[in-house]
Amino acid sequence: MRKHVRPPEREDAHAGHVHPPSTADAPPAWGRPMTPNAVLALQRTVGNAAVAAALEPVAVQRTSEGGTGQGPLEDKPMDGLSRLRRANQREVERGQASRVEPGQGTSPFGNYTVQSGYGHQGYITSNNRQHPRSSSVGTFYVEVFAQLQQQHLPLVAEALRGRALDQAVLAAMTATEKRAAAVLYGLIRESENARTPGAVKAACSALDEVGATGGGWQRFRELFPLAQEHGAQVYNTALAGQNQLSAAALGNLEDMSSSSDEQSS
């Protein structure tokens, strides 16, 4: 049998020629709309299953480290740490100062006093001149929470957001309860937002949760770790990637508002 040999002139004719890739090997145009004809052509070459996968929407995927990636569409496309990072960036861009000015602060519950504390950050106090006929409420979270009822906590959150308050609940508060609410408002608005700009949103989310489900001070400090002893750097080190937040703290960040127009400074 004679072996077939390609004529030399045919070799020369194909020298350097590159065949176009098969449409079966070509990936679909991800994220771009496809015409009906293009979909039909793709179905003939790669099958219906591949077409469905190509057209499936994608979104930012949550990760425990606070990163983002591509994955199936989720109800909450941004993880907790990313939400905190975005809130922090917004406050920094707005010029949120890392220190507070001493003086008298105001809230819907009455006045409070801002003193310069450690690192020039706010130290919140109150007195009887600001709240006549009231008792002392202390200066620490645990002391302030002891003077407040569960239904008062969402009211403080709404005040921090700059929203209208439930006047019936506000009117029913005693002078001491209003004094405690004013100090809590000052602690979050002045002190915490200076330590970690954007922390007000996280605190409001925690106040709403405790107001709805209970747990008091202990639950609040789990959801909002800045309120813990030596907690000033918890969020900052997490933002820098130097530590991991607890599941409770991350869940609280995921639940917090993503609105950029809430009052926070």
Side-chain angles (χ1 to χ4, degrees):
M1 177 180 291
R2 198 165 91 183
K3 183 178 180 182
H4 176 73
V5 178
R6 178 179 293 181
E9 63 273 15
R10 186 165 181 81
E11 294 288 348
D12 294 339
H14 287 267
H17 178 71
V18 178
H19 290 277
S22 168
T23 55
D25 299 327
W30 299 100
R32 291 183 291 178
M34 299 181 68
T35 65
N37 289 338
V39 172
L40 288 174
L42 191 59
Q43 286 175 327
R44 295 190 190 103
T45 55
V46 298
N48 291 334
V51 173
L55 300 179
E56 182 179 359
V58 295
V60 179
Q61 179 176 311
R62 288 181 290 170
T63 65
S64 59
E65 294 78 19
T68 59
Q70 293 294 318
L73 191 64
E74 297 183 357
D75 291 336
K76 291 182 179 178
M78 182 171 288
D79 64 274
L81 197 55
S82 294
R83 282 178 177 266
L84 177 63
R85 184 171 288 110
R86 184 171 63 177
N88 178 263
Q89 182 179 357
R90 282 175 174 168
E91 286 300 284
V92 171
E93 290 173 352
R94 288 171 177 170
Q96 169 63 35
S98 59
R99 64 172 63 189
V100 297
E101 295 296 328
Q104 181 167 270
T106 61
S107 82
F109 311 101
N111 296 333
Y112 56 88
T113 301
V114 183
Q115 298 181 1
S116 182
Y118 178 77
H120 301 283
Q121 293 168 349
Y123 179 70
I124 310 302
T125 62
S126 62
N127 56 57
N128 288 97
R129 292 189 303 275
Q130 296 166 325
H131 299 272
R133 299 179 300 280
S134 66
S135 302
S136 175
V137 299
T139 58
F140 296 100
Y141 280 108
V142 63
E143 298 173 312
V144 172
F145 266 75
Q147 304 296 330
L148 293 171
Q149 299 181 42
Q150 186 173 329
Q151 67 265 29
H152 298 151
L153 303 181
L155 208 66
V156 177
E158 290 296 90
L160 287 163
R161 293 180 177 119
R163 297 174 180 169
L165 305 187
D166 186 325
Q167 293 301 308
V169 177
L170 182 63
M173 295 176 72
T174 67
T176 300
E177 289 170 344
K178 289 181 179 179
R179 180 173 174 178
V183 172
L184 179 58
Y185 177 98
L187 282 170
I188 295 171
R189 185 180 186 273
E190 308 282 357
S191 299
E192 304 302 10
N193 213 45
R195 292 182 175 96
T196 303
V200 168
K201 287 179 177 291
C204 289
S205 179
L207 289 172
D208 285 339
E209 172 68 18
V210 177
T213 63
W217 155 244
Q218 291 297 332
R219 181 58 177 163
F220 180 76
R221 69 194 296 270
E222 291 175 359
L223 299 172
F224 185 63
L226 260 71
Q228 301 174 15
E229 187 177 3
H230 307 302
Q233 299 303 315
V234 173
Y235 281 168
N236 294 335
T237 53
L239 288 172
Q242 297 172 359
N243 79 309
Q244 293 288 325
L245 296 176
S246 68
L250 282 172
N252 179 65
L253 293 175
E254 289 176 359
D255 291 337
M256 77 182 189
S257 169
S258 60
S259 174
S260 62
D261 59 359
E262 290 182 359
Q263 176 179 314
S264 57
S265 63

